[in-house]
Amino acid sequence: MASKKKSETNKKDSQLIIRINGQQRDEFVSLCEELDSSAAREIRKFIKQFLKENGSNGL
């Protein structure tokens, strides 16, 4: 039961569209690949940390 609840809370059902400089995007994606990660994973990690540090509740 707990794993079902956890998968529901971690469901990725929304998008965040941002506009950034193309060169920065390419460098970021390249560095993520070098670090065996993905751009999406790193951005999600940033958002979670930002929310934690700035007092967001419920996530």
Side-chain angles (χ1 to χ4, degrees):
M1 280 262 204
S3 63
K4 184 178 181 182
K5 175 94 172 169
K6 184 177 181 181
S7 67
E8 289 176 8
T9 29
N10 289 332
K11 183 178 178 185
K12 296 167 186 73
D13 61 357
S14 296
Q15 292 184 0
L16 175 66
I17 299 172
I18 61 170
R19 299 185 72 73
I20 61 171
N21 176 284
Q23 183 178 357
Q24 288 177 330
R25 179 222 175 262
D26 293 344
E27 289 180 30
F28 180 68
V29 170
S30 180
L31 183 56
C32 288
E33 289 173 356
E34 287 178 30
L35 297 172
D36 195 29
S37 188
S38 69
R41 181 182 300 144
E42 295 303 319
I43 292 170
R44 283 192 300 269
K45 186 168 42 172
F46 166 78
I47 291 171
K48 287 176 188 175
Q49 186 64 36
F50 183 86
L51 293 172
K52 181 180 175 182
E53 290 175 1
N54 291 284
S56 174
N57 296 321
L59 296 178

